[in-house]
Amino acid sequence: MGDKASTHPGAAGRATAADRPSSLRNVVLVGHSGSGKTTLVEALAQATGAVKRPGRVEDGGTVSDHDEIEHRQQRSVQLSLVPVEWDGIRVNLLDTPGYADFVGELRAGLRAADAALFVVSAADGVDGSTRMVWEECAAVGMPRALVVTHLDAARADFDEMVAVCRRVFGGDDPDAVLPLYLPLHGEEGRDGHAPVAGLIGLLSQRIFDYSSGERTDREPDAEHLPLIAEARNRLIEGIIAESEDESLMDRYLGGEPVDVETLVADLEKAVARGTFHPVLAAAPATDGGRQGLGTLELLELVTGGFPTPEEHPVPAVTSPGGAPRPPLTCDPDGPLAAEVVKTSSDPYVGRLSLVRVFSGTLRPDETVHVSGHGLEDRGHEDHDVDERVGALSAPFGKQQRGLSHAIAGDLACVAKLTRAETGDTLSAKGDPLLMEPWVMPDPLLPVAVVAHSKPDEDKLSQGLARLVAEDPTMRLEQNPDTRQVVLWCLGEAHRDVALERLRARYGVQVDAVPYRVSLRETFAEPSQGRGRHVKQSGGHGQFAVCEITVEPLPGGSGIEFVDKVVGGAVPRQFIPSVEKGVRAQAARGVTAGYPLVDVRVTLLDGKAHSVDSSDAAFQTAGALALRECAGAGRIHLLEPVYELRVVVADDYVGQVMSDLSGRRGRVMGTEQIAGGHTLVRAEAPEVEIGRYAVDLRSLSHGTGRFTRAYVRHEPMPQQVADRVRSEQTNEG
């Protein structure tokens, strides 16, 4: 690792199936948008010989960002798998989007990986979202290393970036975050800037020069040794502190030299355990070179220090019915247990499922059991079906390189699993299993959509169903109150990509329309009204008269209908007709078109005609009577109120509470939680929090997250209600 001088070129071409889990490494790249993750993946692919030209593959697309949407937006929007070979080890690199709207793709990458590379820009620093992901990884003990990019940027400062990483990621033990190399600057140019041309290995005390585009190593110059002495001593002490040999520190402090091989071995063990987090530096090759700065050192760390799939615990499994099952291990000969971590559509082969095999071996053309449970609230129906596996392949850019099989610990794409959705479990037909799902964020930004044209309307339902099947961080709702089709997304960028995919992949053009909150109406005071429906137009006429009173009831009471007619003023057979008309009008609303709730309607009196009275006439009279009551009395608009639980970094608590107050929110309390965060509990009207998913992210610099839960409907302030009624009239 690190100071070894291997120059193995790797392998390219048709994918070969891994034969044992120990020859696999699954690594997810994490970092904010623009930190250089995709560039780093392509630099590693180039350094291993998987790509001949920087940033290109044979079919003319980029390695990671090959989707047309990514080309147009100039950023990653989906999880991408790029396998490379190094020293007989297949490294499955999982490139994730850095933008917060696509955190679902990041979570899928974390699920599929056994270790994480956190990519940070020397020019931009560390953002709040990256800190939160680091904490998530720390909570489950996932091994992590850091890679500093953009070393040649004008504001780049490697030493300062290391100090930031130690402070942000080191927690109580900053000496668990230390660099393995220091950048070596080349000759200063006319602009006064000296580019980074190589690295100084702190353990081996050798220079690794990349200025020619190929790594060469040599002894350091005399002036280099004093510069690295302090960093080297700190690194050695940090490694020894993590050593399983408890006597090593005493011997080192006593002046006994520790050989480099021992230090490297202890370093690799500490990295694999997730207790030490080395910092490296990397940059793509320039001037037509093949090996970018630090790429070989990074490959040596990944293959030598990151754990194999055998060292990573397999998620818990049950039967599809929930009965517990014995824990599984990463054994190619064990029971089949695989998970769909991503679903996409290919215009040529149809649905493609990216699968992580945790146990057993997956083979093409065999029948497997597909289990999917627990996402009903997002539009995913529970299902247990048997399906035949199509072709297996290893993706590389737009290419799909065929695989003969995929063993435990490996990742592969499966074609034509028509029922499998992201998060589903694949298991043996005769031994069905259900894997414990990973945590996914709740989509909290509503987007109401309508078909752009009649042909789009015919395809809308199927297109939306496919979209939601691919993305478990998206929820589809058919709102019965507003009769809107609503896509719940994670943010505006997530929304834009979803609508573009609908158009580009499924040929469905939709328009986003204003999201309507499910308001209600109720009476603020008792009221009385008379409904008279009398028509004579030849033949049988229509005659019905009814008198009613309406009085408000407590919230949640619904519509209560009471019959107090005496003397047969309304014949008994027509009293249900009056109730039916009242309830139908209540459902349509009485002022602004929102359902009427929480009232008691009492039928007091009326008139009938022996010939012209009918069921339809009394229904109409009942509706007219309710509308007259509404015209004579005061009507409240009721708005849904939600409980918000906002978790935010302590630095932004004041801003969050002030913002909630501006949304007519009521802060119910605060609570300190671990990691320098505060939980703010509040209640706020839904009409004020439609964009809160976007606004909170901006307000808290990416450190805030929230959940919402319906509490009740309550009267809307009069000035707000007047505005809503005015908007409703204008829309009509």
Side-chain angles (χ1 to χ4, degrees):
M1 180 204 289
D3 292 336
K4 296 184 286 186
S6 169
T7 56
H8 189 284
R14 180 175 175 82
T16 54
D19 57 356
R20 62 190 189 284
S22 60
S23 66
L24 292 165
R25 303 291 185 276
N26 298 310
V27 182
V28 62
L29 283 82
V30 179
H32 67 80
S33 186
S35 60
K37 301 183 298 299
T38 298
T39 302
L40 179 59
V41 167
E42 299 194 5
L44 292 170
Q46 184 186 350
T48 59
V51 170
K52 305 305 180 185
R53 294 176 291 157
R56 310 295 293 177
V57 290
E58 291 78 355
D59 64 358
T62 57
V63 178
S64 290
D65 290 350
H66 55 80
D67 189 277
E68 291 182 4
I69 296 176
E70 292 174 317
H71 290 172
R72 286 192 289 271
Q73 298 203 3
Q74 293 295 298
R75 65 179 172 194
S76 301
V77 301
Q78 62 183 359
L79 178 69
S80 178
L81 170 63
V82 178
V84 299
E85 300 276 343
W86 182 255
D87 274 347
I89 303 292
R90 177 188 295 161
V91 181
N92 288 320
L93 298 169
L94 291 150
D95 185 15
T96 65
Y99 196 65
D101 278 18
F102 307 109
V103 67
E105 302 283 325
L106 167 62
R107 295 281 176 86
L110 291 170
R111 176 67 159 207
D114 305 311
L117 280 177
F118 279 74
V119 183
V120 295
S121 167
D124 299 330
V126 179
D127 71 340
S129 297
T130 305
R131 298 185 191 190
M132 291 168 65
V133 178
W134 181 276
E135 292 168 4
E136 287 184 29
C137 292
V140 298
M142 177 175 275
R144 285 147 284 153
L146 295 121
V147 185
V148 179
T149 59
H150 300 159
L151 294 171
D152 286 336
R155 304 187 308 277
D157 186 329
F158 180 80
D159 293 335
E160 175 60 25
M161 194 67 249
V162 169
V164 169
C165 291
R166 283 166 52 80
R167 182 175 68 252
V168 172
F169 300 124
D172 297 332
D173 186 12
D175 283 341
V177 180
L178 292 169
L180 299 185
Y181 303 88
L182 297 180
L184 179 67
H185 291 270
E187 296 183 4
E188 189 174 295
R190 292 182 179 179
D191 59 359
H193 178 65
V196 177
L199 300 169
I200 306 173
L202 292 180
L203 293 183
S204 65
Q205 300 185 93
R206 294 188 66 80
I207 302 295
F208 298 95
D209 192 337
Y210 282 88
S211 58
S212 67
E214 301 283 336
R215 184 174 79 168
T216 61
D217 70 297
R218 59 180 173 83
E219 293 288 340
D221 298 330
E223 67 268 20
H224 292 140
L225 295 179
L227 296 176
I228 69 171
E230 181 180 352
R232 185 174 192 270
N233 290 336
R234 181 182 293 154
L235 174 62
I236 291 174
E237 291 176 10
I239 294 171
I240 291 175
E242 300 295 336
S243 175
E244 296 175 347
D245 184 351
E246 297 180 358
S247 68
L248 194 58
M249 180 64 79
D250 292 335
R251 285 156 36 206
Y252 172 72
L253 295 176
E256 182 179 328
V258 181
D259 61 84
V260 172
E261 289 75 14
T262 298
L263 291 172
V264 169
D266 282 340
L267 171 63
E268 291 177 342
K269 292 176 183 176
V271 170
R273 288 197 307 268
T275 58
F276 188 84
H277 315 293
V279 183
L280 295 90
T286 57
D287 300 327
R290 183 173 65 85
Q291 296 170 347
L293 176 81
T295 51
L296 302 192
E297 287 76 14
L298 188 52
L299 288 164
E300 290 160 3
L301 169 71
V302 167
T303 55
F306 277 174
T308 71
E310 294 168 309
E311 301 171 75
H312 190 77
V314 174
V317 294
T318 65
S319 70
R325 298 292 299 270
L328 298 177
T329 60
C330 182
D331 179 4
D333 296 322
L336 177 63
E339 189 169 37
V340 179
V341 294
K342 177 178 174 56
T343 310
S344 60
S345 296
D346 184 277
Y348 302 105
V349 299
R351 180 176 289 190
L352 279 175
S353 303
L354 178 61
V355 170
R356 163 74 191 252
V357 184
F358 286 98
S359 173
T361 299
L362 186 65
R363 293 181 173 83
D365 298 324
E366 69 178 350
T367 299
V368 299
H369 187 79
V370 180
S371 301
H373 295 264
L375 285 175
E376 303 97 321
D377 61 331
R378 300 196 181 182
H380 300 249
E381 294 182 358
D382 283 357
H383 50 272
D384 283 290
V385 295
D386 291 334
E387 281 203 78
R388 187 181 180 188
V389 174
L392 297 185
S393 59
F396 196 87
K398 289 186 177 180
Q399 299 175 345
Q400 293 292 332
R401 300 174 173 178
L403 283 173
S404 60
H405 61 276
I407 64 168
D410 207 354
L411 288 151
C413 277
V414 182
K416 298 180 179 178
L417 284 176
T418 57
R419 290 294 306 277
E421 300 177 355
T422 302
D424 284 0
T425 304
L426 308 184
S427 54
K429 178 181 177 181
D431 187 19
L433 301 172
L434 181 65
M435 196 162 285
E436 182 181 56
W438 70 85
V439 177
M440 288 173 287
D442 289 325
L444 295 170
L445 179 70
V447 182
V449 297
V450 295
H452 184 72
S453 65
K454 182 62 172 70
D456 293 313
E457 189 172 331
D458 296 337
K459 297 182 290 184
L460 180 61
S461 178
Q462 185 179 23
L464 289 173
R466 289 181 177 178
L467 200 66
V468 172
E470 291 182 10
D471 188 349
T473 64
M474 189 174 293
R475 177 161 58 92
L476 178 62
E477 176 190 11
Q478 306 270 354
N479 191 301
D481 294 331
T482 64
R483 295 179 291 279
Q484 285 188 316
V485 177
V486 182
L487 271 180
W488 288 84
C489 304
L490 294 175
E492 292 174 314
H494 192 209
R495 172 201 64 194
D496 293 344
V497 167
L499 299 188
E500 189 167 352
R501 280 183 178 154
L502 265 182
R503 180 190 59 78
R505 289 187 182 177
Y506 306 120
V508 183
Q509 182 80 32
V510 299
D511 299 318
V513 297
Y515 170 71
R516 295 181 62 193
V517 172
S518 299
L519 301 180
R520 305 279 189 270
E521 298 176 347
T522 196
F523 278 72
E525 59 189 8
S527 183
Q528 188 165 346
R530 185 171 188 262
R532 184 175 185 273
H533 183 61
V534 178
K535 287 188 177 181
Q536 295 293 335
S537 56
H540 281 299
Q542 298 182 52
F543 186 96
V545 178
C546 62
E547 294 182 9
I548 65 172
T549 60
V550 180
E551 55 189 312
L553 293 176
S557 299
I559 301 290
E560 183 180 322
F561 185 83
V562 178
D563 168 24
K564 286 192 176 181
V565 174
V566 294
V570 177
R572 305 309 303 171
Q573 70 267 28
F574 294 135
I575 289 176
S577 304
V578 176
E579 180 178 359
K580 189 173 182 181
V582 166
R583 291 188 179 276
Q585 184 63 55
R588 294 191 296 267
V590 292
T591 60
Y594 297 106
L596 179 72
V597 296
D598 303 334
V599 293
R600 177 184 292 121
V601 178
T602 302
L603 177 61
L604 298 174
D605 200 358
K607 293 180 181 180
H609 187 277
S610 59
V611 175
D612 292 341
S613 290
S614 65
D615 170 66
F618 272 100
Q619 284 191 45
T620 302
L624 290 171
L626 186 62
R627 282 155 56 182
E628 184 171 293
C629 288
R634 285 192 302 117
I635 303 297
H636 277 323
L637 276 188
L638 301 178
E639 59 183 345
V641 175
Y642 278 74
E643 180 190 35
L644 302 181
R645 297 175 65 86
V646 185
V647 176
V648 66
D650 293 342
D651 294 343
Y652 304 106
V653 172
Q655 294 96 309
V656 166
M657 293 174 67
S658 176
D659 177 73
L660 287 170
S661 297
R663 298 172 186 270
R664 297 191 284 122
R666 297 183 292 271
V667 175
M668 313 301 288
T670 62
E671 179 183 334
Q672 286 293 126
I673 57 178
H677 288 77
T678 298
L679 169 65
V680 179
R681 291 181 293 103
E683 290 183 352
E686 188 184 14
V687 295
E688 303 287 351
I689 58 173
R691 285 181 47 84
Y692 196 57
V694 176
D695 297 338
L696 176 63
R697 186 182 302 158
S698 174
L699 187 69
S700 65
H701 294 252
T703 67
R705 59 187 186 275
F706 77 104
T707 60
R708 51 178 259 174
Y710 171 77
V711 180
R712 63 186 173 275
H713 274 71
E714 66 180 31
M716 180 180 280
Q718 190 61 46
Q719 67 273 19
V720 181
D722 290 343
R723 188 183 73 234
V724 169
R725 288 190 178 100
S726 175
E727 291 172 354
Q728 186 80 351
T729 301
N730 293 336
E731 287 180 13

